[in-house]
Amino acid sequence: MALLRMRKFPDDTLKEPAAPVKNINGNVEGLIDSMVQTMYAAPGVGLAAPQVGESKRIIVLDTDHENPGKHLLKLINPKVVEAEGKIVWEEGCLSVIDYTADVERAAHVLVRAWTPDEKEIEIEADELLAVALQHEIDHLDGKLFIDRISRIKRELYKRKLKKLIKEGKADSVSPSTVRI
């Protein structure tokens, strides 16, 4: 296991839809283990394979950062099969430097996925888990949370990011809170 390099917006790999995983093998399990370590080190609530440069439909999540590992989810080829209601949640992202915004999502979701031990599971989720699942599955579809905010807010963020990059501060900004 190793910590993986996090891709940051505007990296083009974050805009590409990820490929479905066809075989769950040692390489997939090794990637998942490294993703888990990278997520906890970041610190993050979730991480999708495209965020570490891997075009695979894999996400890891742990919404209980007080008890790491207790509620850890490792999901392969996850998809939202049902969604209802609306919730607005302040989101941040490990791949979006120094920015959070309110995003509207489904309040309740049913997600179907495979586990590393090749079992198909369904997860019903509300609140933070529902938001985090949708956020990470968006990454698998080549979307970031900033794609779900107004064009004006997105443009303001892009200007702020350009300034951080120009000043050489983009890589030194660490999250002030745990990110999805």
Side-chain angles (χ1 to χ4, degrees):
M1 290 185 291
L3 292 182
L4 303 170
R5 185 174 76 82
M6 191 75 59
R7 304 299 171 102
K8 307 280 185 175
F9 174 81
D11 189 311
D12 287 336
T13 60
L14 297 169
K15 298 174 189 166
E16 298 295 321
V21 174
K22 293 187 168 119
N23 294 315
I24 300 172
N25 55 31
N27 290 337
V28 168
E29 291 176 17
L31 172 61
I32 290 170
D33 289 343
S34 292
M35 286 174 61
V36 168
Q37 296 305 314
T38 303
M39 175 186 71
Y40 286 136
V45 167
L47 186 66
Q51 290 179 272
V52 293
E54 293 288 335
S55 180
K56 292 181 173 57
R57 294 190 73 82
I58 299 171
I59 63 174
V60 296
L61 289 162
D62 191 345
T63 57
D64 185 0
H65 58 270
E66 300 294 320
N67 302 293
K70 189 173 181 182
H71 298 105
L72 176 63
L73 295 172
K74 302 173 185 179
L75 305 176
I76 300 165
N77 298 331
K79 62 183 172 187
V80 176
V81 294
E82 289 180 24
E84 59 186 35
K86 290 182 182 176
I87 189 170
V88 175
W89 203 276
E90 184 181 9
E91 294 186 30
C93 181
L94 296 172
S95 293
V96 177
I97 299 167
D98 196 32
Y99 189 72
T100 62
D102 287 342
V103 178
E104 185 177 290
R105 301 265 185 193
H108 179 84
V109 294
L110 176 65
V111 171
R112 190 172 293 137
W114 292 88
T115 64
D117 55 352
E118 300 185 46
K119 292 184 179 147
E120 189 174 30
I121 61 169
E122 287 187 343
I123 300 164
E124 283 192 61
D126 297 302
E127 301 289 325
L128 176 58
L129 182 56
V131 169
L133 283 163
Q134 293 170 84
H135 178 107
E136 298 308 331
I137 291 170
D138 269 1
H139 278 298
L140 303 181
D141 296 330
K143 292 184 178 136
L144 295 169
F145 84 94
I146 57 174
D147 295 323
R148 295 188 174 275
I149 61 176
S150 73
R151 193 185 72 205
I152 293 169
K153 287 181 182 177
R154 193 168 40 255
E155 289 304 318
L156 287 172
Y157 170 68
K158 286 179 182 179
R159 284 189 205 150
K160 177 181 175 178
L161 179 62
K162 282 182 184 174
K163 183 178 177 187
L164 285 172
I165 291 169
K166 185 177 177 181
E167 294 171 353
K169 296 179 182 176
D171 290 330
S172 64
V173 175
S174 53
S176 55
T177 59
V178 175
R179 301 282 190 220
I180 296 177

